């Protein structure tokens, strides 16, 4: 009994760690360049599906704030420009080079390594913060 | 139908003969679609578009969902850039008059399975849409659209003076291939190094966008852009690492570093300096002549445009200087 419970727990936790496996890959870098095509990509709808995984492990406000700071600096946003967890990188004017620079800035700030597949899934500041905490936890 | 004057720049302001076009787009000069060996490149400078009335006309070209996306951009400049990108692609494709039904407003767009935008043509029994491909790129100060016939295309533009927030070598060690790291490390002048980095970045972006499979399908460290020897007769700059490292008109090649790809020898690149202020890269497939002979060099035609107002061919002028590829 105990071993059965143990194995089902590990199945659940491993699927929590990789919620994106089942979903079509959608490039964050390309989505920045392509986001103004005006189309709702099917994979964007899919991408919002894993959010129920995130509700239970949403990032701490301090992490979100740090991400906001890095994003502001990279995009040289004016002080009045509001940047919150919901802010989309594309809508803030981040192009593909900005996005990769931001990811690199986050890697250095938090001492983590973000693989391309994970980087693709980042659309908002909150996404970045959540991913960061997940990666920190894994260390 | 409409003769081109290659190499000369001139302004065409013709009233469109078609009544349908007149109602939806008063000044849209028709253009012959590119041949299989041609690449068309259109760009707009947002600073040259000042008229609110014109921006409203551009808005009228968009379906509601595109307008919403434009308005979701934060700030006037970003909204304007997004609007110009949509207006540019719609007016550009409509110019080619693929059939009489097409107008900038009537065009429909969709995406391929990886999210790359493409035109959604309406098929009918007696009409097959032509294989017209396009790709868009923009910075805050320039919006561009490349068009080809029967070849995937990717383009990328960056401001020459763009600041890199991270240390360039740290960045390329993290994301680029070893060969590219070595190439950039050999450049001692930081300003030149930054410019060569940006050129490489645009070339790599253009390649990934041409592949159309998304960033993670082709991580930047799985392929290397190399500059081949300069072609005979082309201007060759000194090999001193302190000067321009990329020879004018030298061949640009891509080499795959992992097993997953793709015949890299079929891709063709061009690197341009636009309006003196931007680097632009274009990547497309070479057109292999039916007889199987060596491929024909890419012919590039560049227009500077203000959609619905004026177009100017700038290929062969100082506004569109070829600094690599096209061999």
């Amino acid at each position: 009994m105990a071993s059965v419970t143990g194995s089902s727990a590990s199945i659940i936790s491993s699927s929590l760690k990789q919620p994106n496996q089942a979903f079509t890959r959608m490039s964050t870098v390309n989505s920045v360049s392509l986001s103004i095509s005006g189309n709702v990509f099917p994979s964007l709808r899919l991408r919002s599906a894993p959010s129920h995984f995130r509700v239970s492990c949403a990032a701490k406000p301090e992490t979100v704030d740090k991400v906001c700071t890095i994003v502001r600096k990279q995009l040289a946003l004016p002080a009045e420009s509001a940047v919150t967890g919901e802010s989309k990188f594309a809508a803030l004017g981040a192009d593909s080079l900005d996005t990769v620079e931001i990811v690199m800035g986050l890697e250095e700030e938090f001492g983590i390594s973000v693989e391309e597949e994970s980087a693709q899934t980042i659309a908002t500041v909150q996404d970045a913060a959540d991913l960061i905490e997940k990666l920190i936890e894994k260390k | 139908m409409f003769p081109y004057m290659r190499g000369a720049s001139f302004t065409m302001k013709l009233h469109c003969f078609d009544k349908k076009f007149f109602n939806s787009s008063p000044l849209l000069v028709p253009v012959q679609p590119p041949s299989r060996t041609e690449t068309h490149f259109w760009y707009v400078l947002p600073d040259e578009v000042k008229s609110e009335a014109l921006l409203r006309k551009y808005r009228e070209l968009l379906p509601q969902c595109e307008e919403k996306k434009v308005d979701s951009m934060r700030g006037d400049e970003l909204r304007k850039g997004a609007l110009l990108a949509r207006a540019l692609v719609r007016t550009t494709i409509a110019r080619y008059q693929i059939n009489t039904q097409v107008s900038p407003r009537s065009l429909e767009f969709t995406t391929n399975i990886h999210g790359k935008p493409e035109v959604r043509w309406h098929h009918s029994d007696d009409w097959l849409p032509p294989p017209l491909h396009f790709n868009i790129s923009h910075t805050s100060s320039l919006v561009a659209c490349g068009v080809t016939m029967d070849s995937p295309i990717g383009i990328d533009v960056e401001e020459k003076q763009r600041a890199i927030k991270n240390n360039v070598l740290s960045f390329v060690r993290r994301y680029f291939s070893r060969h590219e790291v070595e190439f950039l490390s050999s450049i001692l002048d930081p300003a030149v190094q930054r410019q060569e980095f940006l050129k490489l970045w645009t070339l790599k972006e253009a390649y990934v966008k041409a592949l159309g499979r998304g960033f993670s399908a082709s991580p930047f460290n799985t392929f290397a852009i190399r500059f081949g020897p300069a072609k005979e007769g082309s201007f060759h700059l000194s090999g001193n690492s302190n000067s321009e490292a990329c020879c004018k008109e030298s061949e640009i090649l891509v080499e795959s570093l992992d097993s997953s790809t793709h015949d890299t020898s079929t891709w063709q690149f061009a690197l341009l300096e636009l309006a003196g202020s931007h680097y632009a890269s274009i990547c497309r497939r070479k057109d292999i002549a039916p007889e199987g002979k060596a491929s024909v060099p890419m012919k590039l035609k560049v227009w500077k445009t203000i959609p619905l107002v004026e177009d100017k061919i700038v290929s062969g002028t100082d506004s569109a200087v070829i600094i690599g590829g096209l061999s």
Side-chain angles (χ1 to χ4, degrees), chain B residues 287-295:
Chain B
D287 178 52
I288 310 298
E291 311 86 62
K293 291 194 186 131
S295 53

Side-chain angles (χ1 to χ4, degrees), chain A residues 36 82 91 95 98 101 107, chain B residues 74 86 111 138 162 166 174:
Chain A
I36 48 164
D95 67 8
D98 289 314
E101 285 220 79
E107 288 187 329
Chain B
R74 294 271 214 88
R86 296 317 300 159
T111 58
H138 64 95
R162 186 205 175 111
N166 293 283
R174 173 71 182 86

Side-chain angles (χ1 to χ4, degrees), chain A residues 24-27 29-30 33-39 41-42 44 73-74 76 81-84 87 90-93 95-98 100-101 103-105 107-108 113-117 120, chain B residues 65-66 69 72-74 78 82 85-86 109-111 113-117 135-136 138 156 158 162-166 170-171 174-175 197-198 201 205 208-209 214-217 219-221:
Chain A
T24 313
R25 282 175 187 169
M26 170 70 188
S27 158
V29 170
N30 266 356
S33 313
L34 304 177
S35 64
I36 48 164
S37 71
N39 289 293
F41 308 144
L44 269 179
K73 203 171 112 187
Q74 175 66 35
S81 174
V83 183
T84 66
S87 303
L92 293 173
D95 67 8
S96 49
L97 183 50
D98 289 314
V100 181
E101 285 220 79
V103 169
M104 183 161 170
E107 288 187 329
E108 288 180 347
S113 175
V114 182
E115 295 316 308
E116 271 90 353
E117 282 105 5
Q120 272 192 163
Chain B
C65 57
E66 283 184 23
K69 271 240 156 181
S72 76
M73 301 296 286
R74 294 271 214 88
L78 289 178
R86 296 317 300 159
F109 292 87
T110 179
T111 58
I113 112 185
H114 303 287
K116 183 174 183 184
N135 195 234
I136 305 169
H138 64 95
D156 191 53
E158 292 292 348
R162 186 205 175 111
I164 312 295
K165 299 294 193 296
N166 293 283
S170 305
F171 186 93
R174 173 71 182 86
Y175 291 110
F197 162 77
L198 282 173
W201 175 272
E205 263 290 285
V208 171
K209 289 174 79 183
F215 187 56
S216 92
F220 273 20
N221 59 8

Side-chain angles (χ1 to χ4, degrees), chain B residues 1 43 47 72 109 113 120 124 129 137 156 183 215 220 247 249 258 270 292 299 302-303 315 319-320:
Chain B
M1 226 197 317
Y43 71 91
D47 285 347
S72 76
F109 292 87
I113 112 185
R120 189 158 148 241
S124 68
S137 176
D156 191 53
F183 170 73
F215 187 56
F220 273 20
C247 302
E249 315 265 356
D258 71 0
K299 289 180 273 193
V302 183
W303 285 264
S315 14
S319 292

Side-chain angles (χ1 to χ4, degrees), chain B residues 8 11 16 29 70 98 129 167 180 183 190-191 193 200 203 208-209 211 222 243 251 280 306:
Chain B
T11 308
C16 201
V29 178
V70 164
I98 297 302
N167 172 274
E180 290 158 336
F183 170 73
Q193 189 188 67
L200 264 185
L203 286 164
V208 171
K209 289 174 79 183
L211 286 175
T222 62
S243 67
E251 229 187 327
I306 299 176

Side-chain angles (χ1 to χ4, degrees), chain B residues 37 39 203 226-235 247-254 265-272 282 284-288 294-300 322-327:
Chain B
T37 56
T39 305
L203 286 164
R226 291 175 177 268
F227 299 108
K231 289 288 160 180
E232 202 182 274
S234 64
F235 173 47
C247 302
K248 204 170 176 175
E249 315 265 356
S250 66
E251 229 187 327
I252 300 174
L253 306 158
V254 63
S265 66
T266 63
W267 295 103
Q268 194 176 37
F269 293 85
L271 179 63
L272 306 167
I282 305 169
R284 56 158 295 157
R285 283 208 184 272
K286 292 178 188 171
D287 178 52
I288 310 298
S295 53
V296 182
M298 195 207 304
K299 289 180 273 193
L300 181 62
I322 296 162
I323 55 179
L326 289 195
S327 51

